[in-house]
Amino acid sequence: MPPTTDFTFPTYHQSYPPFYTLQPNHQTLTSQLRKWSRLIQRYARHHSLFKLSLPATIDSPLFKNVSLKKRLSLQDATKVLDWMCTDEGGRRAEKIVEGGGGGGGGGGAGVYWIWWKRPEEWGEEIVGWVERTGQKGVVLTLYELTAGEGSRGEEFWGMDGEVLRRALAGLVRKGRAQVFGGEGEEGVKFF
Amino acid sequence: MSSRRGVGLSAFQNRSSLSTSYASHGASIRSEHLTSLQTQLSVFRSLLHNFAIQHADTIKSNPTFRAEFARMCNAIGVDPLAGSNVRGKGGGAKGIGSLWAKVLGGDVNDFYFELAVRVVELCRASRGENGGLLGVDECKESVKRGKAIGGGMDVSDDDILRAVKSLKPLGSGFSIVNVGSKQMIRSIPKELNKDQSSVLEAIQILGYVTCSMLEDNLGWEHARAETVIKDLLADSLVWVDLQAPEKEYWSPALMNDFED
Protein backbone atom coordinates (compact mmCIF):
# COMPACT_ATOMS: atom_id res chain seq x y z
CA MET A 1 0.00 0.00 0.00
CA PRO A 2 1.46 3.37 -0.87
CA PRO A 3 1.95 5.60 2.13
CA THR A 4 -0.91 8.05 2.20
CA THR A 5 0.02 9.69 5.46
CA ASP A 6 3.23 10.28 7.33
CA PHE A 7 4.39 7.47 9.52
CA THR A 8 3.45 8.09 13.13
CA PHE A 9 6.16 7.05 15.51
CA PRO A 10 5.10 5.80 18.93
CA THR A 11 5.42 8.25 21.79
CA TYR A 12 8.43 6.58 23.31
CA HIS A 13 10.27 6.96 20.02
CA GLN A 14 9.43 10.65 20.06
CA SER A 15 10.11 11.56 23.63
CA TYR A 16 11.82 8.83 25.62
CA PRO A 17 15.60 9.17 25.46
CA PRO A 18 16.50 5.79 27.04
CA PHE A 19 14.80 4.06 24.12
CA TYR A 20 17.96 4.85 22.14
CA THR A 21 20.27 3.16 24.61
CA LEU A 22 20.14 -0.61 24.66
CA GLN A 23 19.40 -1.42 28.29
CA PRO A 24 21.90 -3.29 30.45
CA ASN A 25 19.22 -5.30 32.24
CA HIS A 26 18.43 -8.42 30.25
CA GLN A 27 14.72 -8.46 30.99
CA THR A 28 14.36 -4.81 30.08
CA LEU A 29 16.48 -5.32 26.98
CA THR A 30 14.24 -8.10 25.72
CA SER A 31 11.19 -5.93 25.97
CA GLN A 32 13.09 -3.07 24.34
CA LEU A 33 14.26 -5.23 21.43
CA ARG A 34 10.70 -6.38 20.92
CA LYS A 35 9.58 -2.77 20.72
CA TRP A 36 12.29 -1.87 18.23
CA SER A 37 11.45 -4.90 16.15
CA ARG A 38 7.78 -4.03 16.00
CA LEU A 39 8.62 -0.44 15.19
CA ILE A 40 10.98 -1.41 12.36
CA GLN A 41 8.40 -3.75 10.90
CA ARG A 42 5.67 -1.13 11.05
CA TYR A 43 8.01 1.44 9.53
CA ALA A 44 9.05 -0.90 6.73
CA ARG A 45 5.46 -1.80 6.02
CA HIS A 46 4.38 1.81 5.92
CA HIS A 47 7.10 2.66 3.42
CA SER A 48 6.86 -0.66 1.56
CA LEU A 49 10.46 -1.39 2.37
CA PHE A 50 11.66 -4.94 1.99
CA LYS A 51 15.34 -4.40 2.66
CA LEU A 52 17.10 -2.29 5.17
CA SER A 53 20.77 -1.58 4.75
CA LEU A 54 22.41 -0.48 7.87
CA PRO A 55 25.05 2.08 7.30
CA ALA A 56 22.67 3.77 4.87
CA THR A 57 19.60 4.07 7.07
CA ILE A 58 21.30 4.81 10.35
CA ASP A 59 20.64 8.52 9.79
CA SER A 60 16.99 8.05 8.84
CA PRO A 61 14.26 9.18 11.24
CA LEU A 62 13.80 5.55 12.19
CA PHE A 63 17.08 5.40 14.08
CA LYS A 64 17.80 9.05 14.63
CA ASN A 65 15.67 11.51 16.54
CA VAL A 66 16.81 14.98 15.66
CA SER A 67 14.61 16.87 18.11
CA LEU A 68 15.61 14.61 20.99
CA LYS A 69 19.26 14.61 19.85
CA LYS A 70 19.39 10.85 20.35
CA ARG A 71 20.17 8.05 17.98
CA LEU A 72 20.53 4.33 17.94
CA SER A 73 24.20 3.70 17.27
CA LEU A 74 25.24 1.60 14.29
CA GLN A 75 26.41 -1.08 16.68
CA ASP A 76 23.12 -1.15 18.57
CA ALA A 77 21.04 -1.06 15.40
CA THR A 78 22.99 -4.08 14.21
CA LYS A 79 22.20 -5.79 17.50
CA VAL A 80 18.50 -5.07 17.08
CA LEU A 81 18.42 -6.42 13.53
CA ASP A 82 20.49 -9.46 14.46
CA TRP A 83 18.05 -10.13 17.28
CA MET A 84 15.18 -9.90 14.82
CA CYS A 85 16.88 -12.66 12.82
CA THR A 86 16.77 -15.05 15.76
CA ASP A 87 13.96 -17.36 16.74
CA GLU A 88 13.41 -15.28 19.85
CA GLY A 89 12.94 -12.26 17.62
CA GLY A 90 10.39 -14.20 15.57
CA ARG A 91 12.73 -14.32 12.55
CA ARG A 92 11.37 -10.99 11.44
CA ALA A 93 14.61 -10.12 9.67
CA GLU A 94 17.17 -11.98 7.66
CA LYS A 95 20.68 -10.96 6.90
CA ILE A 96 21.47 -10.88 3.22
CA VAL A 97 24.83 -12.42 2.52
CA GLU A 98 26.86 -10.64 -0.09
CA GLY A 99 26.01 -11.65 -3.60
CA GLY A 100 22.26 -11.43 -2.95
CA GLY A 101 19.99 -14.33 -2.28
CA GLY A 102 18.79 -15.65 1.01
CA GLY A 103 20.58 -17.70 3.60
CA GLY A 104 20.69 -16.51 7.15
CA GLY A 105 23.53 -15.44 9.30
CA GLY A 106 27.16 -15.05 8.39
CA GLY A 107 29.16 -11.90 7.96
CA GLY A 108 28.99 -9.59 4.96
CA ALA A 109 27.21 -6.37 4.28
CA GLY A 110 24.69 -5.04 6.74
CA VAL A 111 21.69 -5.53 4.50
CA TYR A 112 18.65 -7.23 5.93
CA TRP A 113 15.31 -8.43 4.68
CA ILE A 114 12.66 -7.07 6.98
CA TRP A 115 9.90 -9.61 7.18
CA TRP A 116 6.86 -7.61 8.23
CA LYS A 117 5.41 -10.48 6.28
CA ARG A 118 7.53 -13.56 5.84
CA PRO A 119 7.72 -15.13 2.36
CA GLU A 120 5.22 -17.81 3.32
CA GLU A 121 2.85 -15.12 4.57
CA TRP A 122 3.24 -13.28 1.27
CA GLY A 123 2.43 -16.55 -0.48
CA GLU A 124 -0.82 -16.82 1.46
CA GLU A 125 -1.65 -13.23 0.65
CA ILE A 126 -1.21 -13.84 -3.09
CA VAL A 127 -3.16 -17.10 -3.01
CA GLY A 128 -5.94 -15.29 -1.16
CA TRP A 129 -6.11 -12.63 -3.86
CA VAL A 130 -6.06 -15.24 -6.67
CA GLU A 131 -8.94 -17.06 -5.03
CA ARG A 132 -10.91 -13.90 -4.37
CA THR A 133 -10.61 -12.83 -7.97
CA GLY A 134 -11.36 -16.28 -9.37
CA GLN A 135 -8.03 -16.72 -11.15
CA LYS A 136 -7.28 -20.22 -10.01
CA GLY A 137 -5.84 -22.22 -12.87
CA VAL A 138 -5.13 -19.08 -14.88
CA VAL A 139 -1.55 -18.40 -15.91
CA LEU A 140 -0.38 -15.05 -14.62
CA THR A 141 2.94 -13.41 -15.33
CA LEU A 142 4.98 -12.25 -12.40
CA TYR A 143 4.75 -8.77 -13.82
CA GLU A 144 0.95 -8.98 -13.79
CA LEU A 145 1.00 -10.09 -10.18
CA THR A 146 3.01 -7.26 -8.77
CA ALA A 147 2.63 -4.49 -11.32
CA GLY A 148 -0.60 -5.24 -13.15
CA GLU A 149 -3.80 -3.26 -12.94
CA GLY A 150 -5.67 -6.18 -11.42
CA SER A 151 -3.69 -6.30 -8.24
CA ARG A 152 -3.22 -2.58 -7.75
CA GLY A 153 -4.00 -1.66 -4.19
CA GLU A 154 -3.04 -5.08 -2.86
CA GLU A 155 -0.27 -5.06 -0.33
CA PHE A 156 1.95 -7.20 -2.53
CA TRP A 157 1.62 -4.74 -5.40
CA GLY A 158 5.05 -3.47 -6.31
CA MET A 159 6.79 -5.94 -4.05
CA ASP A 160 10.41 -6.90 -4.34
CA GLY A 161 11.02 -9.47 -7.09
CA GLU A 162 13.26 -11.59 -4.94
CA VAL A 163 10.67 -11.77 -2.17
CA LEU A 164 8.02 -12.69 -4.72
CA ARG A 165 10.16 -15.50 -6.09
CA ARG A 166 10.70 -16.86 -2.60
CA ALA A 167 7.02 -16.63 -1.77
CA LEU A 168 6.13 -18.50 -4.94
CA ALA A 169 8.86 -21.07 -4.38
CA GLY A 170 7.26 -21.83 -1.04
CA LEU A 171 3.89 -22.37 -2.71
CA VAL A 172 5.47 -24.57 -5.39
CA ARG A 173 7.02 -26.73 -2.70
CA LYS A 174 3.61 -27.23 -1.15
CA GLY A 175 2.17 -28.09 -4.58
CA ARG A 176 -0.12 -25.09 -4.61
CA ALA A 177 1.38 -23.31 -7.58
CA GLN A 178 3.53 -23.95 -10.60
CA VAL A 179 6.05 -21.59 -12.13
CA PHE A 180 6.94 -21.74 -15.83
CA GLY A 181 9.13 -19.95 -18.25
CA GLY A 182 12.57 -18.52 -18.17
CA GLU A 183 14.17 -15.69 -16.35
CA GLY A 184 12.40 -12.42 -16.91
CA GLU A 185 9.19 -13.79 -18.38
CA GLU A 186 8.03 -16.29 -15.84
CA GLY A 187 4.41 -17.19 -15.43
CA VAL A 188 2.68 -18.78 -12.52
CA LYS A 189 -0.43 -20.88 -12.15
CA PHE A 190 -2.23 -21.49 -8.87
CA PHE A 191 -4.16 -24.61 -7.99
CA MET B 1 -47.44 4.54 88.25
CA SER B 2 -46.77 6.46 91.35
CA SER B 3 -43.81 8.68 91.77
CA ARG B 4 -44.44 8.86 95.41
CA ARG B 5 -41.62 7.44 97.36
CA GLY B 6 -43.11 4.58 99.36
CA VAL B 7 -42.25 3.72 102.86
CA GLY B 8 -42.51 0.45 104.68
CA LEU B 9 -42.91 -2.99 103.14
CA SER B 10 -45.19 -1.90 100.35
CA ALA B 11 -42.31 0.14 99.01
CA PHE B 12 -40.50 -3.03 97.95
CA GLN B 13 -43.47 -4.29 96.01
CA ASN B 14 -43.98 -0.94 94.45
CA ARG B 15 -40.38 -0.77 93.35
CA SER B 16 -40.38 -4.19 91.73
CA SER B 17 -43.61 -3.49 89.85
CA LEU B 18 -42.09 -0.20 88.78
CA SER B 19 -39.03 -1.84 87.33
CA THR B 20 -41.07 -4.49 85.47
CA SER B 21 -43.21 -1.88 83.90
CA TYR B 22 -40.12 0.10 82.92
CA ALA B 23 -38.68 -3.04 81.40
CA SER B 24 -41.81 -3.90 79.47
CA HIS B 25 -42.08 -0.37 78.22
CA GLY B 26 -38.47 -0.48 77.16
CA ALA B 27 -39.06 -3.73 75.33
CA SER B 28 -42.04 -2.33 73.50
CA ILE B 29 -40.07 0.74 72.46
CA ARG B 30 -37.22 -1.47 71.28
CA SER B 31 -39.50 -3.71 69.24
CA GLU B 32 -41.19 -0.67 67.77
CA HIS B 33 -37.78 0.60 66.82
CA LEU B 34 -36.88 -2.71 65.30
CA THR B 35 -40.00 -2.95 63.19
CA SER B 36 -39.55 0.58 61.99
CA LEU B 37 -35.93 -0.17 61.15
CA GLN B 38 -36.96 -3.30 59.36
CA THR B 39 -39.52 -1.41 57.38
CA GLN B 40 -36.96 1.21 56.54
CA LEU B 41 -34.51 -1.43 55.51
CA SER B 42 -36.98 -3.22 53.30
CA VAL B 43 -38.07 0.05 51.74
CA PHE B 44 -34.45 0.94 51.18
CA ARG B 45 -33.74 -2.46 49.76
CA SER B 46 -36.54 -2.26 47.27
CA LEU B 47 -35.48 1.26 46.33
CA LEU B 48 -31.92 0.11 45.84
CA HIS B 49 -33.23 -2.79 43.86
CA ASN B 50 -35.22 -0.48 41.60
CA PHE B 51 -32.34 1.89 41.32
CA ALA B 52 -29.94 -0.86 40.33
CA ILE B 53 -32.34 -2.23 37.74
CA GLN B 54 -33.08 1.18 36.32
CA HIS B 55 -29.48 2.21 36.10
CA ALA B 56 -27.71 -1.06 35.39
CA ASP B 57 -26.68 0.16 31.95
CA THR B 58 -25.42 3.47 33.25
CA ILE B 59 -23.53 1.73 36.02
CA LYS B 60 -21.77 -0.36 33.44
CA SER B 61 -21.03 2.33 30.93
CA ASN B 62 -20.40 5.50 32.88
CA PRO B 63 -17.26 5.48 35.02
CA THR B 64 -18.17 8.52 37.11
CA PHE B 65 -21.59 7.17 37.86
CA ARG B 66 -20.14 3.78 38.68
CA ALA B 67 -17.64 5.30 41.07
CA GLU B 68 -20.40 7.22 42.83
CA PHE B 69 -22.52 4.12 43.02
CA ALA B 70 -19.64 2.15 44.48
CA ARG B 71 -19.05 4.92 46.98
CA MET B 72 -22.66 4.83 48.02
CA CYS B 73 -22.51 1.06 48.46
CA ASN B 74 -19.37 1.49 50.50
CA ALA B 75 -21.00 4.06 52.74
CA ILE B 76 -23.89 1.77 53.60
CA GLY B 77 -21.60 -1.18 54.12
CA VAL B 78 -22.44 -3.17 51.03
CA ASP B 79 -19.69 -4.55 48.89
CA PRO B 80 -20.96 -5.09 45.37
CA LEU B 81 -18.06 -7.39 44.68
CA ALA B 82 -18.52 -9.62 47.67
CA GLY B 83 -22.26 -9.67 47.12
CA SER B 84 -22.57 -12.55 44.74
CA ASN B 85 -19.92 -14.83 46.15
CA VAL B 86 -20.64 -14.51 49.81
CA ARG B 87 -24.26 -15.37 50.32
CA GLY B 88 -25.32 -12.66 52.71
CA LYS B 89 -22.82 -11.23 55.11
CA GLY B 90 -24.41 -11.81 58.49
CA GLY B 91 -28.10 -12.17 59.18
CA GLY B 92 -29.17 -8.62 58.52
CA ALA B 93 -27.60 -8.31 55.10
CA LYS B 94 -28.84 -11.65 53.88
CA GLY B 95 -31.40 -10.24 51.52
CA ILE B 96 -28.94 -7.71 50.16
CA GLY B 97 -26.38 -10.38 49.40
CA SER B 98 -28.74 -12.26 47.18
CA LEU B 99 -30.03 -9.03 45.75
CA TRP B 100 -26.60 -8.18 44.44
CA ALA B 101 -26.25 -11.61 43.05
CA LYS B 102 -29.57 -11.37 41.30
CA VAL B 103 -29.63 -7.80 40.14
CA LEU B 104 -26.05 -6.73 39.83
CA GLY B 105 -23.99 -9.82 40.40
CA GLY B 106 -24.14 -10.75 36.78
CA ASP B 107 -23.40 -7.25 35.62
CA VAL B 108 -21.32 -5.27 38.03
CA ASN B 109 -19.35 -8.23 39.25
CA ASP B 110 -18.50 -9.45 35.82
CA PHE B 111 -17.50 -5.95 34.92
CA TYR B 112 -14.88 -5.85 37.65
CA PHE B 113 -13.67 -9.35 37.04
CA GLU B 114 -13.30 -8.66 33.35
CA LEU B 115 -11.42 -5.51 34.15
CA ALA B 116 -9.22 -7.42 36.58
CA VAL B 117 -8.31 -9.86 33.84
CA ARG B 118 -7.24 -6.98 31.63
CA VAL B 119 -5.23 -5.42 34.40
CA VAL B 120 -3.43 -8.71 34.93
CA GLU B 121 -2.77 -8.97 31.20
CA LEU B 122 -1.34 -5.47 31.06
CA CYS B 123 0.83 -6.03 34.10
CA ARG B 124 2.17 -9.23 32.62
CA ALA B 125 2.79 -7.73 29.21
CA SER B 126 4.60 -4.72 30.56
CA ARG B 127 6.55 -6.46 33.30
CA GLY B 128 9.68 -6.62 31.16
CA GLU B 129 9.84 -2.89 30.75
CA ASN B 130 8.61 -1.67 34.11
CA GLY B 131 9.72 -4.34 36.51
CA GLY B 132 6.18 -5.12 37.62
CA LEU B 133 5.26 -1.64 38.73
CA LEU B 134 2.54 -0.18 36.54
CA GLY B 135 0.99 3.22 37.22
CA VAL B 136 -2.75 3.18 37.74
CA ASP B 137 -2.98 6.08 35.29
CA GLU B 138 -1.11 4.28 32.54
CA CYS B 139 -3.11 1.17 33.21
CA LYS B 140 -6.33 3.12 32.89
CA GLU B 141 -5.26 4.66 29.60
CA SER B 142 -4.27 1.30 28.20
CA VAL B 143 -7.55 -0.26 29.24
CA LYS B 144 -9.40 2.59 27.55
CA ARG B 145 -7.50 2.14 24.33
CA GLY B 146 -7.33 -1.59 24.90
CA LYS B 147 -7.23 -3.98 22.04
CA ALA B 148 -8.32 -6.89 24.18
CA ILE B 149 -11.42 -8.81 23.23
CA GLY B 150 -14.38 -6.51 23.47
CA GLY B 151 -12.48 -3.32 22.70
CA GLY B 152 -11.66 -0.51 25.09
CA MET B 153 -13.46 -0.05 28.38
CA ASP B 154 -14.20 3.35 29.83
CA VAL B 155 -12.97 3.08 33.38
CA SER B 156 -11.93 5.33 36.25
CA ASP B 157 -9.06 5.04 38.71
CA ASP B 158 -11.55 3.81 41.24
CA ASP B 159 -12.54 0.93 38.97
CA ILE B 160 -8.94 -0.13 38.54
CA LEU B 161 -8.34 -0.07 42.28
CA ARG B 162 -11.47 -2.10 42.85
CA ALA B 163 -10.50 -4.60 40.19
CA VAL B 164 -7.08 -5.07 41.74
CA LYS B 165 -8.73 -5.54 45.10
CA SER B 166 -10.96 -8.22 43.63
CA LEU B 167 -7.83 -10.22 42.83
CA LYS B 168 -6.95 -10.51 46.48
CA PRO B 169 -8.69 -13.83 47.18
CA LEU B 170 -6.52 -15.40 44.50
CA GLY B 171 -3.41 -14.68 46.50
CA SER B 172 -1.84 -13.45 43.32
CA GLY B 173 0.33 -10.83 44.96
CA PHE B 174 -1.26 -7.96 43.08
CA SER B 175 -1.45 -4.89 45.23
CA ILE B 176 -1.59 -1.13 45.12
CA VAL B 177 1.40 0.81 46.36
CA ASN B 178 1.91 4.53 46.66
CA VAL B 179 5.06 5.88 45.15
CA GLY B 180 5.20 9.58 45.77
CA SER B 181 1.87 10.99 44.72
CA LYS B 182 1.22 8.18 42.31
CA GLN B 183 -0.65 4.97 42.83
CA MET B 184 0.88 1.97 41.18
CA ILE B 185 -0.13 -1.61 40.67
CA ARG B 186 2.55 -3.95 41.88
CA SER B 187 2.41 -7.32 40.21
CA ILE B 188 5.66 -8.68 41.59
CA PRO B 189 5.71 -9.21 45.33
CA LYS B 190 8.73 -7.12 46.11
CA GLU B 191 9.17 -4.44 48.69
CA LEU B 192 10.79 -1.17 47.74
CA ASN B 193 13.10 0.18 50.36
CA LYS B 194 12.99 3.78 51.42
CA ASP B 195 15.84 4.91 49.20
CA GLN B 196 14.35 3.26 46.15
CA SER B 197 10.99 4.88 46.82
CA SER B 198 12.52 8.31 47.14
CA VAL B 199 14.38 7.88 43.86
CA LEU B 200 11.20 6.80 42.07
CA GLU B 201 9.41 9.73 43.62
CA ALA B 202 12.11 12.12 42.42
CA ILE B 203 11.85 10.66 38.92
CA GLN B 204 8.12 11.26 38.97
CA ILE B 205 8.62 14.90 39.76
CA LEU B 206 11.68 15.64 37.66
CA GLY B 207 11.16 13.25 34.77
CA TYR B 208 14.55 11.66 35.20
CA VAL B 209 17.42 11.67 37.68
CA THR B 210 21.18 11.43 37.59
CA CYS B 211 23.48 10.38 40.38
CA SER B 212 24.62 13.92 41.01
CA MET B 213 21.02 15.13 41.15
CA LEU B 214 20.39 12.60 43.90
CA GLU B 215 23.50 13.68 45.71
CA ASP B 216 22.57 17.36 45.51
CA ASN B 217 18.89 17.04 46.33
CA LEU B 218 18.84 14.25 48.86
CA GLY B 219 22.26 14.83 50.34
CA TRP B 220 23.35 11.30 49.58
CA GLU B 221 26.90 10.16 49.14
CA HIS B 222 27.86 9.03 45.69
CA ALA B 223 28.07 5.36 46.66
CA ARG B 224 24.59 5.40 48.13
CA ALA B 225 23.04 6.98 45.04
CA GLU B 226 24.87 4.56 42.81
CA THR B 227 23.76 1.50 44.78
CA VAL B 228 20.12 2.48 44.75
CA ILE B 229 20.23 3.15 41.03
CA LYS B 230 21.95 -0.15 40.40
CA ASP B 231 19.23 -2.00 42.31
CA LEU B 232 16.49 -0.20 40.44
CA LEU B 233 18.13 -1.01 37.12
CA ALA B 234 18.42 -4.65 38.11
CA ASP B 235 14.71 -4.74 38.89
CA SER B 236 13.80 -3.09 35.54
CA LEU B 237 12.30 -0.21 37.43
CA VAL B 238 14.29 2.45 35.58
CA TRP B 239 15.76 2.79 32.11
CA VAL B 240 19.14 4.36 31.50
CA ASP B 241 20.09 6.90 28.84
CA LEU B 242 23.82 6.66 28.12
CA GLN B 243 23.77 9.37 25.49
CA ALA B 244 23.39 12.17 28.00
CA PRO B 245 26.35 14.08 29.47
CA GLU B 246 25.77 12.20 32.69
CA LYS B 247 23.86 8.92 32.81
CA GLU B 248 20.19 9.70 33.13
CA TYR B 249 17.68 7.34 34.67
CA TRP B 250 14.08 7.45 33.46
CA SER B 251 10.84 5.96 34.62
CA PRO B 252 9.47 3.27 32.33
CA ALA B 253 6.00 4.78 32.65
CA LEU B 254 6.47 6.50 29.29
CA MET B 255 7.23 3.18 27.65
CA ASN B 256 3.72 2.00 28.30
CA ASP B 257 2.48 2.48 24.83
CA PHE B 258 0.37 -0.51 24.03
CA GLU B 259 -0.62 0.91 20.71
CA ASP B 260 1.92 -1.00 18.72
Side-chain angles (χ1 to χ4, degrees):
Chain A
M1 237 180 288
T4 45
T5 49
D6 280 342
F7 182 73
T8 40
F9 285 103
T11 34
Y12 48 79
H13 186 277
Q14 295 299 85
S15 54
Y16 193 61
F19 190 55
Y20 296 87
T21 297
L22 287 190
Q23 297 298 304
N25 174 317
H26 181 75
Q27 196 191 5
T28 319
L29 178 63
T30 308
S31 110
Q32 187 183 20
L33 288 171
R34 203 169 292 136
K35 284 214 187 283
W36 268 111
S37 163
R38 270 199 302 254
L39 173 61
I40 291 171
Q41 288 173 51
R42 273 212 302 131
Y43 183 84
R45 181 177 194 166
H46 185 86
H47 294 289
S48 298
L49 291 175
F50 291 88
K51 289 182 202 175
L52 201 89
S53 74
L54 255 196
T57 45
I58 199 67
D59 284 329
S60 74
L62 177 60
F63 293 121
K64 186 176 177 180
N65 187 327
V66 179
S67 59
L68 215 54
K69 294 198 184 71
K70 303 285 169 194
R71 64 185 309 154
L72 199 64
S73 69
L74 184 57
Q75 197 193 358
D76 285 352
T78 311
K79 268 191 205 155
V80 170
L81 285 164
D82 284 342
W83 182 82
M84 286 172 72
C85 295
T86 63
D87 282 338
E88 195 193 357
R91 288 182 291 114
R92 283 293 163 184
E94 185 177 318
K95 194 158 191 175
I96 300 171
V97 178
E98 254 169 310
V111 183
Y112 295 79
W113 293 116
I114 304 296
W115 298 136
W116 34 285
K117 276 193 170 69
R118 274 196 288 269
E120 59 269 25
E121 291 167 331
W122 280 118
E124 291 305 320
E125 187 101 341
I126 294 170
V127 167
W129 172 74
V130 166
E131 280 175 5
R132 267 203 318 281
T133 50
Q135 299 186 83
K136 265 187 172 180
V138 180
V139 178
L140 297 158
T141 63
L142 297 201
Y143 176 83
E144 260 180 298
L145 263 183
T146 58
E149 278 310 307
S151 62
R152 188 184 283 274
E154 295 296 320
E155 202 166 14
F156 58 81
W157 200 83
M159 85 191 276
D160 185 281
E162 170 71 19
V163 181
L164 175 64
R165 250 179 288 275
R166 283 178 64 171
L168 293 179
L171 292 174
V172 169
R173 264 201 306 282
K174 288 189 203 150
R176 297 174 66 186
Q178 194 183 354
V179 177
F180 326 79
E183 188 78 24
E185 41 193 287
E186 294 137 302
V188 61
K189 193 162 108 179
F190 297 90
F191 311 119
Chain B
M1 231 172 298
S2 141
S3 58
R4 179 176 63 87
R5 207 184 154 99
V7 281
L9 270 182
S10 70
F12 289 107
Q13 197 152 20
N14 236 348
R15 201 169 295 167
S16 82
S17 85
L18 198 67
S19 75
T20 26
S21 63
Y22 271 137
S24 79
H25 190 63
S28 85
I29 288 180
R30 223 174 298 140
S31 83
E32 220 169 87
H33 226 86
L34 191 66
T35 31
S36 99
L37 261 180
Q38 264 163 352
T39 331
Q40 274 180 27
L41 191 63
S42 75
V43 167
F44 173 72
R45 208 177 288 163
S46 73
L47 282 177
L48 197 61
H49 189 114
N50 284 343
F51 182 85
I53 291 176
Q54 259 177 26
H55 299 282
D57 279 345
T58 327
I59 290 172
K60 269 191 292 177
S61 61
N62 183 340
T64 335
F65 193 86
R66 186 166 54 241
E68 283 303 315
F69 181 75
R71 255 192 32 190
M72 183 178 83
C73 291
N74 235 351
I76 57 179
V78 178
D79 185 353
L81 279 178
S84 74
N85 304 331
V86 189
R87 293 258 146 208
K89 304 190 295 181
K94 208 170 176 187
I96 292 185
S98 56
L99 166 89
W100 284 139
K102 266 198 304 225
V103 184
L104 293 171
D107 290 342
V108 175
N109 256 13
D110 286 0
F111 172 86
Y112 283 114
F113 292 152
E114 192 187 323
L115 179 58
V117 169
R118 291 190 188 198
V119 170
V120 172
E121 269 172 12
L122 287 173
C123 286
R124 260 175 40 95
S126 62
R127 207 172 274 175
E129 62 212 31
N130 61 27
L133 214 52
L134 178 64
V136 169
D137 264 347
E138 286 90 41
C139 184
K140 185 179 67 182
E141 288 309 311
S142 310
V143 169
K144 275 186 187 164
R145 281 187 286 127
K147 277 201 203 142
I149 312 149
M153 288 162 89
D154 202 2
V155 296
S156 63
D157 286 6
D158 184 74
D159 291 329
I160 303 265
L161 299 183
R162 230 162 260 283
V164 171
K165 226 190 270 168
S166 76
L167 291 169
K168 215 172 206 164
L170 298 176
S172 50
F174 280 73
S175 59
I176 300 286
V177 289
N178 287 306
V179 177
S181 58
K182 246 181 111 167
Q183 286 188 303
M184 320 212 43
I185 305 165
R186 190 179 59 192
S187 59
I188 291 178
K190 190 177 183 316
E191 294 294 329
L192 292 175
N193 66 33
K194 214 166 147 258
D195 282 3
Q196 290 171 329
S197 303
S198 18
V199 171
L200 291 183
E201 208 177 321
I203 292 179
Q204 259 177 45
I205 298 163
L206 304 166
Y208 67 91
V209 293
T210 64
C211 277
S212 47
M213 277 159 79
L214 292 177
E215 287 156 38
D216 294 345
N217 288 305
L218 300 171
W220 289 358
E221 295 143 41
H222 185 73
R224 184 175 176 187
E226 199 138 274
T227 316
V228 177
I229 289 288
K230 230 174 67 189
D231 286 349
L232 289 174
L233 263 180
D235 286 339
S236 317
L237 288 169
V238 294
W239 286 48
V240 61
D241 175 18
L242 296 176
Q243 293 174 46
E246 189 190 349
K247 285 184 196 173
E248 288 173 3
Y249 300 92
W250 292 68
S251 147
L254 265 166
M255 281 303 287
N256 287 320
D257 186 328
F258 293 96
E259 237 168 345
D260 56 2

